């Protein structure tokens, strides 16, 4: 490397291996040597993970701007069993508009080679095939862009940069009426309104669930108010009736709530700024002045529209009369903790519905594979589910029953609730009166919502691109029980003192933002809580000594880190600032000869 070039740690990048092969390349299989001469960014993602979806959106502009020098490659690394199915990855790549090659790695071979610990993780490889940076979590696109520009200049000067078209080949579009629909709503007219998520539209269907009455939205990705032909959405999901003439729409990737006038088709924005909420920003106030984060579903309950805020693991509410939004439950920590709303933990709440008696707000908490509910006092309870790492398909008594990443809930007339058990391709039922879970139907393809129509239930079969009408069965379907745990291997650590180091290096041209106090935050907890004898809680230092209990054989360390960096230019009175944040759930096993240090890379390289 010449003396004028920036000095960086350089580690030879391991080969890209994935049993599922390559997508979005027109059938061609690639190796790293095929990409020599280009800057390569590996995006380790899994399609259940909302933070991974945020990163896909963060990377779109970077991808477009540096298309002739930069190749982004998604390395799909599954958490849930369903995500290891090749067709499910094919579907997800189209569903979320991924416009770069994707390596399907169902056995986590490349994940292990790169020692990745969290979804999402971004790894930057220079044109000579060396790893030069790693970033975990969200908020890194600006830092990666600076690094890409540096690498372009450096390797242009060395003659090792190769410009030209990348390996991306778009798939052929399919001519279906709906494309990966998300949620459905029964309108007062008897018609259905469906969020046609991948096409960025709402579609009104006749009572047969098939014939199109009208489409609302121009069809391209964007945020614009207006009539049915000019309004724009970005991956809309949840729908709720505000009154007989008004629908509220969770416009997920726009981080906004929209109002649809059913008579005119006019769309207006009622909440959100169009930007994603980040730690430290306001959590209440005038609805159009407070940012939201991936609102996934909405439900009208007790005079307010409740919002499943999947992006920050909380419930919020919009008050249509006051024009305000506020947090109603959740801390932003990811996990399963019941109790008063402000103390509860969620993990990507993705489905909401009001019980038939109006006393409960049911919710599908997708990443904990849980069915939960909020009572009239705002307290949170769990009906089915145990946490982030256990899932499966098991009926019977609710305490031992298992779901797999459910996205929808539908109250039934008898007080029970149907669950769209998405990754099990099933419709399940929980009866609060008996505490039992049963299976109502199988052989659905990624059901994401359902609506009751008389004695029938109409299911949104998202990955079959249709609504499917079923008779509500008298008898449950018998299903052979299966139980799973998340596929990641545990990290072996020694009992006693463990040095936790979160590595953060500010991007080139930036420094930590200390104008208003500390710019970093580290929050540590564990499952079970007895695993940590010392070191839990929040502080501002990114390094911490933990004390692990030798009496606990294994568990999970929950680590949440945040760092804010700003442009380092004394002449600039208003420097641009960026927040970098990530949550890790690190499975650990205590062994006498285990590690005494646990490094987690937020941004940079571990020396």
């Amino acid at each position: 490397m010449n003396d004028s070039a920036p000095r960086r740690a350089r580690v030879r990048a391991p080969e890209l291996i994935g049993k599922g092969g390559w997508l979005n390349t027109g059938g061609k299989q690639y190796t790293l040597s095929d990409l020599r001469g280009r800057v390569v960014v590996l995006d380790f993602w899994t399609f259940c993970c909302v933070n991974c979806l945020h990163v896909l959106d963060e990377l779109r502009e970077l991808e477009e701007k540096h298309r002739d020098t930069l190749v982004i490659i998604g390395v799909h690394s599954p958490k849930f069993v369903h995500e290891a199915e090749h067709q499910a990855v094919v579907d997800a790549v189209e569903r979320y508009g991924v416009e770069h090659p994707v390596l399907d790695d169902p056995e986590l071979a490349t994940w292990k080679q790169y020692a990745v610990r969290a979804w999402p993780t971004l790894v930057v490889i220079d044109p000579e095939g060396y790893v030069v940076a790693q970033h975990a979590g969200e908020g890194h696109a600006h830092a990666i862009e600076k690094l890409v520009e540096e690498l372009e200049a450096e390797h242009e000067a060395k003659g090792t940069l190769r410009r030209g078209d990348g390996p991306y080949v778009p798939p052929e579009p399919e001519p279906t009426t709906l494309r990966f629909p998300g949620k459905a709503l029964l309108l007062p007219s008897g018609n259905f309104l469906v969020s046609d998520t991948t096409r960025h539209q709402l579609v009104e269907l006749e009572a047969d669930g098939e014939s199109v009455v009208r489409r609302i939205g121009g069809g391209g990705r964007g945020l614009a108010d207006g009539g049915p032909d000019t309004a724009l959405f970005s991956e809309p999901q949840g729908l709720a009736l505000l009154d007989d003439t008004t629908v509220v729409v969770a416009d997920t990737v726009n981080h906004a709530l929209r109002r649809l006038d059913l008579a005119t088709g006019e769309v207006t924005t009622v909440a959100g700024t169009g930007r994603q909420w980040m730690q430290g920003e306001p959590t209440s106030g005038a609805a159009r002045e407070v940012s939201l984060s991936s609102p996934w579903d909405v439900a009208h309950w007790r005079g307010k529209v409740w919002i499943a805020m999947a992006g920050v693991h909380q419930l919020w509410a919009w008050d249509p009369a006051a024009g305000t939004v506020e947090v109603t439950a959740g801390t932003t920590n990811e996990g399963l903790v019941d109790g008063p709303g402000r103390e509860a933990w969620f993990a990507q709440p993705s489905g909401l519905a009001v019980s038939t008696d109006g006393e409960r707000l049911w919710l599908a908490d997708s990443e904990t594979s849980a069915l939960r509910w909020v009572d009239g006092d705002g307290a949170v309870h769990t009906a089915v589910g145990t946490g982030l790492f256990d899932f499966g398909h098991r009926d019977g008594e609710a305490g031992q029953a298992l779901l797999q990443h459910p996205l929808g809930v539908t109250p039934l007339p008898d007080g029970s609730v149907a669950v769209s058990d998405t990754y099990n391709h099933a419709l399940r039922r929980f009866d609060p009166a008996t505490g039992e879970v049963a299976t109502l139907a199988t052989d659905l393809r990624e059901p994401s919502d359902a609506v009751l129509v008389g004695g029938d239930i109409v299911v949104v079969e998202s990955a079959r691109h249709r609504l499917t009408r079923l008779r509500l069965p008298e008898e449950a379907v018998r299903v052979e029980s299966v139980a799973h745990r998340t596929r990641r291997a545990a990290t072996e650590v020694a009992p006693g003192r463990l040095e936790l180091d979160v590595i953060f290096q500010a991007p080139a041209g930036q420094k930590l933002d200390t104008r208003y106090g500390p710019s970093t935050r580290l929050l540590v907890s564990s499952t079970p809580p007895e695993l940590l004898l010392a070191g839990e809680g929040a502080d501002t230092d990114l390094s911490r000594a933990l004390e692990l209990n030798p009496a606990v054989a294994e568990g999970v360390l929950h680590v949440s880190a945040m760092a804010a960096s700003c442009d380092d230019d004394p002449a600039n009175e208003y420097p641009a600032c960026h927040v970098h944040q990530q949550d890790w759930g690190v499975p650990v096993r205590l062994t006498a000869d285990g590690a005494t240090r646990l490094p987690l890379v937020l941004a940079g390289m571990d020396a």
Side-chain angles (χ1 to χ4, degrees), residues 27 74 99 115 147 161 236 249 310-311 316 336 363 384 387 483 561 566 570 572 597:
E99 294 184 355
L147 181 53
L161 185 73
V249 183
W316 289 40
L336 192 152
L363 72 107
V384 183
C566 295
N572 185 355
R597 176 176 178 263

Side-chain angles (χ1 to χ4, degrees), residues 116-140:
V116 175
R117 292 185 183 274
W119 297 277
T121 291
L122 298 165
V123 175
V124 183
I125 301 171
D126 74 11
E128 292 178 291
Y130 289 90
V131 174
V132 292
Q134 183 172 326
H135 302 263
E138 302 177 45
H140 300 294

Side-chain angles (χ1 to χ4, degrees), residues 39 62 66 69-70 144-152:
V39 180
L62 176 68
H66 296 270
T69 57
L70 170 68
I144 290 174
E145 177 161 27
K146 281 189 188 308
L147 181 53
V148 167
E149 288 168 353
E150 280 180 17
L151 291 169
E152 284 173 345

Side-chain angles (χ1 to χ4, degrees), residues 342-364:
R342 295 303 176 122
E343 298 171 16
W345 291 26
F346 301 96
Q348 274 177 236
S350 301
L352 294 176
V354 181
S355 62
T356 45
D357 62 6
E359 294 299 313
R360 294 183 178 191
L361 181 68
W362 289 108
L363 72 107

